[in-house]
Amino acid sequence: MEKHSSKSGSFIGRHRWRSNPESHRSSFSPRLQHKSPVVPDPHLSESSDDLNDSTPSPDVDPDQIFAELDAFTDEISIPDDKSTPPELPDVIDTFSVIIKFKTRKSAARNVEITDEDTFLYDSVHRLCKLKTVLGEFSNTSPLDNVGKILHRIMMFMEERLRILLVDSNVPPEPKLKVISSKHFSFKTERCPLPELSKEEDYPGFSEENINKMNKIVNIMITAGYKNECSNVYSIARGNALYEQLRRLDFEKLNSEEVQKLNWDWLEADISRWIRVIKHCSQFLIPAERKLGETVFSDHFSIFRGLFVNLIRSLITSLLDYAATVAMMKRSAERLFKFLDMYEALHGLKEAMRESDAGDDNDLYVEISSVRERIGEGVVNMFGDLEKSIRQDAAKTPVPGGAVHPLTRYVLNYLKYACDYGDSLEQIFQQSAKLNQPMPSSSEDIDMEKSPLAAQIASVMSLLDGNLAVKSTLYKDPSLRDIFLMNNGRYILQKVKGSNEIKKLMGDNWCRRRSSEVRHYHKSYQRETWARLLQCITQEGIQVNGKVNKKVLKERFKNFNTMFDEIHKTQGPWVVSDEQLQSELRASISAVVIPAYRSFVGRYKHHFEAGKNMDKYIKYQPEDIEALIETLFEGNPPTSMSRKRF
């Protein structure tokens, strides 16, 4: 169908953001013009005053008018000679007066369904048919007259559509709920991230008004006014989208200030950005798609172009912000915010794909590019973590052989990082494709199946090497074993306590770690308590079948001295894992108590009761057992009353 000669320009040309000069961050916060300009038809001789309420209401029969128009259209469509245009009948002038009245300004503001709406819709169909027939004639004068009437109706329809589009019932303030965030800070606990509630009424149009929009859109596109229809829809919906983002403090985000802000301030800004992106992905994009597909139900191809442009306008500056953050200086502590951003961008990609906005290849590629840059930052942050482990060369041992702060930091870091397991797997898979393979590990990890598992194993291996070096700071071999046992047990329990890490590392890794902890346990027991038991061996006590009291007294004396020294030295040692602490005490008692009880029972009658016996048999077996139960709590040794024979 022939399109009106005075169209107001392409959609792209009229779809412009309006800057807010009052905001110091206006460069990041674009806004659409509130109302699309209506370009007057140069062929219209009437002034804009014709659209006011002064036009009288004609008293005519619409059916009669339509019948005469149809008859005239049928009559002029028959002749083969198209050189001489037909003279327009008087019914055209009458029809023009009716249209002026029905398209007055006040009528456009009346959104109720009236008989005038039906009359205008029927008029458009008849005028379009008449234009088509008149277009076959060489003289365009009659065609221009009909075109003026049609254009007047389209101006009215455009204004009516704009009024309907801005007549939304979205609440002035968003309804907020709190959802858990994966973000973890080593300074604070996990912080909740506010989200807009799914119950919010967006876009806030009644079904009746959506149906009216659909009719107007269909009639305007049918009449050849696709650009005008597209413009008014895009500008109105662009403003509505911007208003939604403004309520989420969208305007406070400024990519130019990213490099100037310290991390504490920037962290809050990034949280705001994540919130905006999630709201776009979860609510705005799906809601806009649903609305547009209903309003443009018969013109999906037109709406798809409008929709992609709306989404591009919505998120381009948000992507600029993310790209700027991705370029800033990285450190291991910033990992979790980067991962939140990475996942937010993934949600945006999925929302676009599900909404068919992914057809805009340039925008989709841009989102993917920014997401990849965020992913590169994550890889580098793991590199920073490994670097910090290598460079942690503390020269002062942790008191009591306790779990080293580095061990706690690294395991907590990995635990919370693995909450983002799927995202990290994607990131390291992409990194493995672009770069050389990651350093091989002695762990039984299949890197090809899980680059993330290989990365975790690499970090664990570096931590093991660092702890081995730190263990040499302890001059006492027994305390060295306690230190390695404590840290090994902590690592093992943290891995077992995290389903994500345990799945990555595998059962074989856990069994191997358990074996290492047992090895340190046995080494400690051999180094400390096996030497103590050498003091109460039977060898050398009897000479020619008789007990050598001097040797016996020396044995008890040595035992007492060594046990006192062990208790004094190891009393302040720490085993914070309750199960490991209990296992250690039980294993010591199981070795020491039976041997000591047997030795005392066998030789105590060789001493006279009273002071002489207490001098050499300083402890009852129960005393030894009670003192063993006080080990590994990090407390200074205390004396205790002894049971006497």
Side-chain angles (χ1 to χ4, degrees), residues 206-261:
S206 67
E207 184 176 352
E208 180 183 6
N209 281 358
I210 292 176
N211 289 334
K212 290 179 186 178
M213 294 181 211
N214 175 256
K215 289 182 179 179
I216 293 174
V217 165
N218 285 338
I219 205 71
M220 290 186 72
I221 294 176
T222 299
Y225 282 72
K226 179 186 75 172
N227 284 350
E228 284 74 6
C229 173
S230 298
N231 288 342
V232 70
Y233 183 87
S234 297
I235 292 174
R237 294 317 304 155
N239 285 340
L241 287 171
Y242 171 78
E243 182 62 23
Q244 286 290 303
L245 299 189
R246 185 192 64 78
R247 290 157 54 189
L248 297 173
D249 291 334
F250 164 80
E251 292 175 306
K252 293 182 179 180
L253 297 173
N254 187 349
S255 58
E256 295 178 0
E257 294 185 2
V258 167
Q259 302 294 343
K260 303 176 184 178
L261 296 176

Side-chain angles (χ1 to χ4, degrees), residues 405-430:
L406 178 65
T407 305
R408 295 184 185 275
Y409 176 86
V410 171
L411 267 295
N412 281 321
Y413 192 95
L414 295 179
K415 177 181 181 295
Y416 286 102
C418 286
D419 285 347
Y420 301 84
D422 291 341
S423 295
L424 285 172
E425 200 71 76
Q426 294 176 16
I427 290 171
F428 285 112
Q429 282 178 353
Q430 182 68 20

Side-chain angles (χ1 to χ4, degrees), residues 567-568 570-574 630 632-638:
H567 187 257
K568 177 182 177 181
Q570 299 191 12
W573 293 3
V574 177
T630 66
F632 314 123
E633 293 183 351
N635 300 321
T638 57

Side-chain angles (χ1 to χ4, degrees), residues 22-185:
E22 298 178 359
S23 172
H24 70 285
R25 294 183 175 187
S26 60
S27 63
F28 188 81
S29 305
R31 184 169 186 177
L32 285 171
Q33 294 182 9
H34 177 68
K35 180 178 178 181
S36 62
V38 178
V39 179
D41 191 327
H43 299 284
L44 280 176
S45 60
E46 297 90 348
S47 69
S48 60
D49 292 336
D50 289 331
L51 292 178
N52 62 27
D53 293 338
S54 64
T55 306
S57 173
D59 185 14
V60 296
D61 180 7
D63 292 337
Q64 181 181 351
I65 294 292
F66 287 151
E68 293 184 28
L69 279 175
D70 292 342
F72 175 70
T73 302
D74 292 340
E75 179 183 349
I76 64 174
S77 62
I78 296 175
D80 294 331
D81 183 9
K82 303 294 183 180
S83 59
T84 304
E87 182 179 350
L88 295 179
D90 293 339
V91 68
I92 297 296
D93 294 331
T94 304
F95 186 66
S96 177
V97 173
I98 297 172
I99 294 302
K100 288 179 183 179
F101 175 77
K102 292 186 179 295
T103 57
R104 64 196 185 281
K105 290 182 178 179
S106 61
R109 300 186 186 96
N110 180 16
V111 296
E112 298 297 326
I113 296 178
T114 64
D115 292 338
E116 293 181 357
D117 292 305
T118 303
F119 178 85
L120 291 176
Y121 294 147
D122 291 342
S123 298
V124 171
H125 289 300
R126 286 173 167 82
L127 288 171
C128 288
K129 182 177 180 181
L130 180 57
K131 274 189 64 179
T132 301
V133 175
L134 289 173
E136 297 175 0
F137 291 88
S138 57
N139 192 315
T140 61
S141 178
L143 177 64
D144 291 342
N145 290 333
V146 172
K148 287 187 292 184
I149 301 174
L150 180 61
H151 185 70
R152 183 181 212 96
I153 298 176
M154 290 298 102
M155 291 171 65
F156 175 83
M157 290 291 182
E158 182 176 355
E159 179 64 12
R160 173 68 70 87
L161 179 59
R162 189 194 67 78
I163 291 173
L164 287 169
L165 284 167
V166 300
D167 185 27
S168 170
N169 294 320
V170 176
E173 294 297 331
K175 299 176 183 178
L176 297 178
K177 66 177 182 177
V178 172
I179 64 170
S180 61
S181 168
K182 288 182 180 178
H183 170 65
F184 172 80
S185 170

